[in-house]
Amino acid sequence: MNSTIRSKSASAIAFSGPLDWRRLVEWLQTDGVISAEEAQRITARCAQAESAQHPLLRLASVSVRRASDAKALDIEALTQWLAGRAGMDYLRIDPLKVDVSKVADTLSAAYAERHKILPVQVSASEVVIAVTEPFITDWVAEVERQARRSVRRVLASPQEIQRYTAEFFALAKSVKAAGKAGASAGGASFEQLVELGKSSKQIDANDQSVVQVVDWLWQYAFDQRASDIHLEPRREQGVIRFRIDGVLHPVYQMPMGVLTAMVARIKLLGRMDVVEKRRPQDGRIKTRNPGGDEIEMRLSTLPTAFGEKMVMRIFDPETTVKDFDALGFSAHDAQRWEELVKRPNGIILVTGPTGSGKTTTLYATLKRVATEEVNVSTIEDPIEMIEPAFNQTQVQPQLDFGFPEGVRALMRQDPDIIMVGEIRDQQTAEMAVQAALTGHLVFSTLHTNDAPSAVTRLLELGVPAYLINATLLGVLAQRLVRTLCPQCKLPDSTSTIEALAQRVEPWTIKGSYQPFKSVGCVDCRMSGFRGRTGLYELLVVTEPFKAQVTREPNADALKRQAIVDGMRPLRLAGAQRVAEGLTVLDEVLSATPPLS
């Protein structure tokens, strides 16, 4: 099923007709949910409430208090109770799992609004329809006849049905309007893209329908906590996907003509070349989320076989530039990292694969040390997030201004701290070393599997061992793992500390052991996870460690010495998070390299 469904109750009643708040109060008292005194209080309050409200909303507005614990029942709890009494399934609508185009094809917006119903799932033989009136069924036969499918009714919150009815039908209308405007344009092959961009048959990027679809897409992505929006052309139709907590979710499919117009609209707003579709382009857009906060998005296009693919990286200041304390460091590593970043000069590296949160860690750390007495300058490709406390510069390869040239230029800008987006080649590595030797604190990133491998990588790039020993202060390796949804996670009685300890031998798990398991609810889109946290492995360069850094070092010797000096492996950090009940073992095993 596409959303959270509760099982039916055995207390179904025989009743027909529209709901009435007085009858609901009577049923609540009969079922023992509320006391007689509470029923009297609710009756007095509801008599003064807005009469046009749905009865469930009317009850929720006066804070119905449960007899067992005096807890106020919200609209969700009341709807769930009513579903059980009516002998129906209860549903919380997950908009990411609803095929909006099928919803609009099943019913008209006017019909759905008149009967306060909303299709949420359509299969070959059945249509599942969310309702707010469980005892009114006179529309069922008509819908079954028109849809040529059987109808299964589920009860949902009147708030959700009202909201999503407006959103779903407005979106479908905009997509259809844009599709009709560009029906003759159709899709385009890679070779035809430029000519199609000049064709008068293509949908206008400024068409009101296209503008509405793009605006809906952004607000929907913000609402769903997406970090990336993917617009992907396919042979038959375009696909929209959101990346949420590191996992891609399909959201919508639409005609290629509409997708092409959407990409053109976004390129126009991002001050990119709308006509040029044969080469990759980058851009930026600033907009606002539903709360009015400013959101910045980084745009990237790429020509593919069936058209231009666009990815929008969303930089929400509330989640992207985290406070240092929110990164997820253990107390052991947090103290050592704090001491490391206070050093006056040297190189500090953050390593890990793409998408492991390296930039977030660097931004949070730089914000911590960027006082008014310090000049913090960065050279990035691209600038991930605009931060007022830094002086940020973007490399421009077309102007022969890459990382080496950027570091060289920054060294003449009287910096105290320099952040180099990535050390990719020997030139950049040499310039970072020179900056550290001349009294600057340098932060940068590398792509390695663990912290000790950073030393080997620098040697491979051509940095002599004696210069590594003279400048390298420490290396932080990191990964991101999904954290369990706090709304639905449950204690895991099947997990034992002995089984967890076997995964991290010869290390031991310290502290309490309180494992939880994922369950799944609408808040986490049935995945059981909500948000991510970091796992860290911090290597601090000591004199004994320097003795192991030679022209051809032994990788095992480097790792052993790092552990002696206090480094704790990534997998151990993950196991500790499992013991604390923040994540599950499978997440840690898939994200971290094995212990050797």
Side-chain angles (χ1 to χ4, degrees), residues 208-264:
Q208 188 59 35
S209 299
V210 175
V211 173
Q212 290 175 357
V213 173
V214 171
D215 288 344
W216 169 85
L217 177 68
W218 288 343
Q219 299 306 318
Y220 195 23
F222 302 152
D223 184 55
Q224 296 298 320
R225 302 180 298 106
S227 61
D228 300 85
I229 305 172
H230 291 241
L231 304 183
E232 303 175 339
R234 298 285 193 266
R235 183 183 297 276
E236 300 297 332
Q237 55 187 344
V239 176
I240 297 176
R241 296 196 291 174
F242 290 168
R243 186 176 295 279
I244 304 171
D245 294 337
V247 179
L248 278 171
H249 298 263
V251 174
Y252 200 77
Q253 294 186 348
M254 56 181 53
M256 271 299 301
V258 179
L259 191 79
T260 301
M262 289 176 64
V263 171

Side-chain angles (χ1 to χ4, degrees), residues 371-382:
T371 63
E372 292 184 353
E373 295 80 21
V374 175
N375 176 14
V376 178
S377 299
T378 74
I379 179 74
E380 306 174 58
D381 182 25

Side-chain angles (χ1 to χ4, degrees), residues 404-423:
E405 293 80 14
V407 177
R408 188 178 295 111
L410 289 183
M411 288 174 65
R412 296 193 289 268
Q413 291 286 312
D414 186 31
D416 298 291
I417 299 173
I418 295 174
M419 194 270 272
V420 183
E422 183 182 351
I423 294 179

Side-chain angles (χ1 to χ4, degrees), residues 85-101:
R85 208 172 206 283
M88 295 176 62
D89 286 326
Y90 163 70
L91 167 73
R92 274 194 69 185
I93 301 172
D94 182 357
L96 278 181
K97 302 294 179 63
V98 176
D99 190 330
V100 178
S101 61

